[in-house]
Amino acid sequence: MAAPYCASRFQSIRRKSRMVNIGGVGVGGENPVRIQSMTTTDTMDINATVKQTIELAETGCEIVRITAPNVRAAEALGEISKKVRSHGIDVPLVADIHFMPNAALEAAKHVEKVRINPGNYADRKKFQIREYSDSQYEEELDRLHESFSPLIERCKELGRSMRIGTNHGSLSDRIMNRFGDTPRGMAESALEFIRIARSYNYHDLVLSMKASNPKVMIEAYRLVVSLMNEEKMDYPLHLGVTEAGDGEDARIKSAIGIGSLLLDGLGDTIRVSLTEDPVQEIPVARDLARRANYWWSLPSREQDEVLEEVDPFSFSRRQCDEINLSKAGLSIGPKHPPSVLAKTKYSPSETAEIIQEVAKVQVGSKDTPVEGLILSLKHSSELPGLAILRSSLLGAIPFFLIDDIRKETDDDSIPPNRPNLCPVLWHSPHAAKDAASLARFLTLCEQAEQQPILSIDPYSEDETVASILANADLPLILTLNSEKSINPVAEYRSLATFVSQLGLHSPIWIRNDEPSRLFPDDDLFSGRILDSSILTGSLLCDGIGDLVSVENAGELDRNRGLAYNLLQGARARISKTEFVACPSCGRTQFDLQTTTQEVKKATGHLKGVTIAVMGCIVNGPGEMADADFGYVGSGPGKIDLYVGKNRVKSAIVQKDAVDQLVQLIKEENKWIAP
Ligand code: SF4
């Protein structure tokens, strides 16, 4: 396995990086996580670009990137910079360069930082398959050295910094042929450039490893840090999920990718890419950054070395028992995608309301039903309602009871010895409190043929409890009561490790329950999306999690919907069309926000199909990664359509392009009637 990439996976400890100065804003070192964004205006429209730069800075954006698609646009950056400064705004500016070394050399004269893409700085992509011998590969690196050196020398001379910004979708043919379309390929793509910069003693470098798939992006960042550690490099990281799209799905994907890495202690500056007005990116980025700054401010504790089964550099699903909850029609385990539980706001005494609510939700969401229902049982007077629910339509849906009434009665015998009142499943938050109560609970479950679900303390050192768990006759489902936890991801990782040390293979239930309100001024709604995405996404991308519940988002339907969106964001369960949409920039050939909405409206019912909407032909086809279909701007008012990486229709008039896309999907037999 590769070298460690973080100080601990069981507490959030910030990686030590060097500080890079970007026009007076320090990135890395002890600096807070910096927030950045990118303008979407045509760079040659200087006034519009200046206006948007100022708006971004005034909203809290600390670094603003502007595309420089050619030398003329790079020259325009000088004028833009002057005008922005004349308004008293000193936000550092970054030129975004693809393919054009000459534009980079020009831009370095005017802005504080230059971003290059190592996949296309010195290479044209031809999707060629070819074997490179070691000497041929060395020759390629010499060619790279020659193209890249002038920019290093210029940046060194002018005191500019640089981002080596790898994108999963635009790796060079050289890298693809040697390392494949992999996190390793992404990491090597950047390291080749960094080694050249170091040979000039130039170190004002920041790295990024962006992908539209958070799982790929997480692995690539972890791997590049591990490889940098081996070579004693400490360059700061710019985090981002690229082409995330818009709305809730984009926020979920960004929080999964960026939030998981921040929790691992990685990341010095972040950009949340949204296909929306870039100003909308800032509050999301700020909420993520302040979570990181808070986690990292907590004192770290001494910790014994922990041996995990998870390989953080390569995804595989954690192995566990298959549990067939056939009475309720639900099977969980590694062969099944994680199942969705959702909480109703009603209590068992409001039986009629529950039945109505569930019926409404299930009818409206045939492909994404509630697979288990969470009920809160607070008082023994609510027990009779369970009997009615049991004999109602809910006979097909397992119950998960929380807020154990034994809190009130301290009576372990309720409800397992009252099978006529029992729910199909029984969740006992306190069952593992002490050994005697745990043993009694497991016996009762066995007698009543109940599936035991235990909320346990993964840090328990009680050997009797451990031995009872290890010798349980029934398969167990395990979860945590993480309501008050500051780092529930670490606790679930500890749970998975604890379980494997006991020789158990219990499925794990990830609960998004009421979060402790660490940030009272957070927007409640968006704060919960971010927290749920970070918790669920981090674990799912590690392969941990067989049941996922959302208990805090509101109505049953909303809890259900958010749970499926979290699973889709982590690519753990695909239940609807996956959209990849670039955030747009000065190269964009059409109104990306409106067009993305039109494409979504026409194709949003195609489960399992990935559709990319990309603003330009220069980067779009490369960056749309693993999309099945691509809608790409090829000129003013003109669209090209792609199937995978192949362009199949060119220069379609934009007003016909959505219809033509639908036609193409039909021709490829991927269409279903809405
Ligand atoms: S794909 Fe979109 S964001 Fe990327 S360069 Fe083209 S228009 Fe700009």
Side-chain angles (χ1 to χ4, degrees):
M1 199 187 282
Y5 70 92
C6 65
S8 170
R9 281 175 39 90
F10 298 91
Q11 44 187 325
S12 190
I13 301 173
R14 186 176 193 181
R15 166 180 174 255
K16 289 190 188 346
S17 61
R18 72 168 58 215
M19 189 195 87
V20 171
N21 180 4
I22 301 169
V25 172
V27 168
E30 298 295 317
N31 290 290
V33 174
R34 301 296 189 184
I35 292 161
Q36 56 177 295
S37 180
M38 186 169 179
T39 56
T40 55
T41 50
D42 176 354
T43 307
M44 295 312 293
D45 186 343
I46 290 177
N47 287 340
T49 307
V50 168
K51 183 168 172 278
Q52 199 173 52
T53 302
I54 293 171
E55 274 168 17
L56 280 167
E58 287 178 345
T59 317
C61 180
E62 297 172 280
I63 300 166
V64 176
R65 186 158 41 114
I66 303 171
T67 190
N70 49 45
V71 176
R72 269 183 66 232
E75 284 166 358
L77 293 175
E79 187 65 16
I80 291 168
S81 175
K82 269 194 219 125
K83 287 199 166 185
V84 169
R85 307 288 171 246
S86 73
H87 283 81
I89 302 282
D90 56 3
V91 66
L93 301 181
V94 184
D96 194 61
I97 306 288
H98 294 269
F99 296 107
M100 291 276 171
N102 285 343
L105 287 169
E106 178 63 31
K109 294 181 195 162
H110 311 294
V111 293
E112 286 70 31
K113 182 178 161 198
V114 178
R115 178 267 168 131
I116 61 151
N117 178 341
N120 60 29
Y121 188 77
D123 296 277
R124 293 266 151 195
K125 199 159 174 66
K126 301 189 184 102
F127 299 100
Q128 266 177 356
I129 311 248
R130 88 168 250 214
E131 279 290 314
Y132 289 89
S133 67
D134 286 350
S135 64
Q136 285 168 328
Y137 204 88
E138 280 305 316
E139 278 168 30
E140 283 286 296
L141 291 182
D142 288 344
R143 186 176 59 76
L144 204 65
H145 197 121
E146 211 174 295
S147 318
F148 186 39
S149 313
L151 182 62
I152 298 168
E153 286 176 321
R154 177 148 306 170
C155 287
K156 211 173 158 187
E157 179 198 332
L158 298 173
R160 308 305 194 199
S161 54
M162 201 188 298
R163 169 156 69 100
I164 311 294
T166 302
N167 277 9
H168 180 224
S170 55
L171 298 175
S172 67
D173 287 348
R174 180 184 64 261
I175 287 285
M176 291 281 274
N177 279 291
R178 178 149 285 204
F179 299 101
D181 182 12
T182 59
R184 177 67 195 255
M186 293 172 70
E188 287 295 339
S189 173
L191 289 171
E192 287 179 353
F193 278 72
I194 291 173
R195 290 183 197 114
I196 297 171
R198 283 163 72 86
S199 72
Y200 286 83
N201 202 20
Y202 175 74
H203 299 285
D204 292 330
L205 297 166
V206 179
L207 263 75
S208 63
M209 298 277 125
K210 298 192 187 182
S212 58
N213 180 340
K215 214 186 267 177
V216 172
M217 171 262 189
I218 290 171
E219 287 176 11
Y221 276 101
R222 287 174 176 172
L223 192 60
V224 83
V225 171
S226 161
L227 295 171
M228 278 203 285
N229 289 345
E230 281 176 7
E231 297 191 39
K232 307 224 171 327
M233 299 176 185
D234 57 358
Y235 301 109
L237 298 175
H238 163 133
L239 304 184
V241 174
T242 192
E243 282 89 38
D246 62 358
E248 179 170 297
D249 289 339
R251 284 158 177 80
I252 288 174
K253 275 191 247 176
S254 297
I256 291 175
I258 298 171
S260 302
L261 290 165
L262 291 172
L263 196 62
D264 280 350
L266 309 187
D268 303 283
T269 174
I270 62 177
R271 190 228 171 160
V272 172
S273 295
L274 301 178
T275 310
E276 298 176 21
D277 184 329
V279 164
Q280 301 299 330
E281 297 176 357
I282 307 306
V284 187
R286 194 172 44 219
D287 284 349
L288 286 169
R290 65 188 188 143
R291 277 165 172 70
N293 293 329
Y294 172 75
W295 295 325
W296 299 341
S297 70
L298 298 171
S300 57
R301 53 178 201 280
E302 288 293 314
Q303 202 179 31
D304 294 338
E305 202 181 321
V306 185
L307 273 181
E308 275 189 287
E309 277 183 351
V310 168
D311 176 356
F313 303 105
S314 170
F315 175 82
S316 66
R317 182 100 181 261
R318 174 182 165 268
Q319 290 305 303
C320 67
D321 298 327
E322 162 122 4
I323 297 187
N324 183 6
L325 306 167
S326 54
K327 265 191 284 183
L330 180 68
S331 290
I332 54 174
K335 281 196 243 136
H336 307 277
S339 294
V340 166
L341 315 180
K343 188 178 175 191
T344 169
K345 65 179 179 184
Y346 299 110
S347 71
S349 55
E350 296 164 299
T351 311
E353 286 84 350
I354 296 177
I355 293 169
Q356 231 179 31
E357 190 186 27
V358 172
K360 207 162 94 192
V361 168
Q362 303 298 60
V363 165
S365 50
K366 277 201 294 301
D367 289 339
T368 55
V370 175
E371 296 173 310
L373 191 66
I374 297 171
L375 294 172
S376 179
L377 184 67
K378 293 210 171 70
H379 194 276
S380 52
S381 65
E382 294 175 332
L383 280 168
L386 290 177
I388 304 169
L389 285 172
R390 193 172 188 217
S391 59
S392 72
L393 73 146
L394 295 177
I397 301 173
F399 295 7
F400 292 67
L401 283 180
I402 54 173
D403 296 321
D404 185 353
I405 55 168
R406 279 174 296 145
K407 273 183 194 163
E408 175 204 354
T409 62
D410 206 26
D411 178 359
D412 275 344
S413 66
I414 299 172
N417 71 345
R418 299 190 190 182
N420 60 328
L421 298 182
C422 279
V424 179
L425 298 173
W426 169 245
H427 168 239
S428 173
H430 307 289
K433 196 171 57 179
D434 62 67
S437 138
L438 174 63
R440 197 161 54 240
F441 173 74
L442 290 175
T443 306
L444 285 168
C445 284
E446 213 174 334
Q447 286 166 356
E449 296 185 9
Q450 298 288 313
Q451 169 62 51
I453 298 186
L454 302 175
S455 170
I456 64 170
D457 174 7
Y459 306 113
S460 167
E461 287 176 1
D462 185 326
E463 286 181 9
T464 321
V465 166
S467 150
I468 292 171
L469 290 172
N471 294 304
D473 289 331
L474 295 168
L476 308 174
I477 297 173
L478 299 180
T479 188
L480 291 174
N481 198 353
S482 55
E483 223 170 89
K484 302 211 166 52
S485 173
I486 286 163
N487 188 346
V489 172
E491 290 192 10
Y492 275 98
R493 284 177 179 162
S494 299
L495 175 65
T497 307
F498 176 78
V499 169
S500 74
Q501 282 167 351
L502 292 179
L504 288 172
H505 304 282
S506 307
I508 289 181
W509 167 15
I510 304 170
R511 292 184 61 193
N512 294 283
D513 42 14
E514 199 67 35
S516 59
R517 299 302 311 284
L518 295 177
F519 305 102
D521 57 329
D522 249 11
D523 169 62
L524 184 64
F525 178 70
S526 99
R528 282 178 181 173
I529 290 179
L530 298 187
D531 288 332
S532 302
S533 304
I534 296 168
L535 169 61
T536 313
S538 294
L539 295 168
L540 291 173
C541 289
D542 275 354
I544 297 172
D546 306 286
L547 283 165
V548 170
S549 67
V550 173
E551 301 163 37
N552 59 14
E555 305 281 327
L556 179 65
D557 198 25
R558 173 74 188 125
N559 287 335
R560 173 202 63 83
L562 182 53
Y564 277 104
N565 289 347
L566 294 173
L567 290 170
Q568 174 121 356
R571 305 274 176 117
R573 182 168 178 175
I574 303 301
S575 52
K576 59 184 185 182
T577 321
E578 177 70 17
F579 288 100
V580 171
C582 80
S584 88
C585 71
R587 293 181 191 263
T588 311
Q589 300 287 346
F590 53 83
D591 180 339
L592 211 89
Q593 292 175 41
T594 324
T595 307
T596 304
Q597 291 312 318
E598 283 169 14
V599 173
K600 278 189 162 182
K601 200 167 157 211
T603 61
H605 62 288
L606 299 175
K607 181 175 166 181
V609 176
T610 303
I611 298 178
V613 183
M614 309 297 286
C616 76
I617 195 123
V618 185
N619 286 327
E623 304 284 0
M624 62 196 185
D626 52 2
D628 300 308
F629 297 94
Y631 178 113
V632 181
S634 54
K638 292 286 160 51
I639 305 299
D640 286 1
L641 296 179
Y642 285 71
V643 175
K645 296 271 179 225
N646 300 320
R647 180 167 51 189
V648 292
K649 296 193 181 186
S650 303
I652 300 165
V653 180
Q654 200 193 342
K655 74 175 176 40
D656 301 331
V658 174
D659 290 344
Q660 296 258 356
L661 174 66
V662 169
Q663 185 55 35
L664 186 60
I665 298 171
K666 286 179 180 166
E667 285 164 18
E668 295 294 314
N669 292 326
K670 293 277 175 85
W671 181 259
I672 48 165

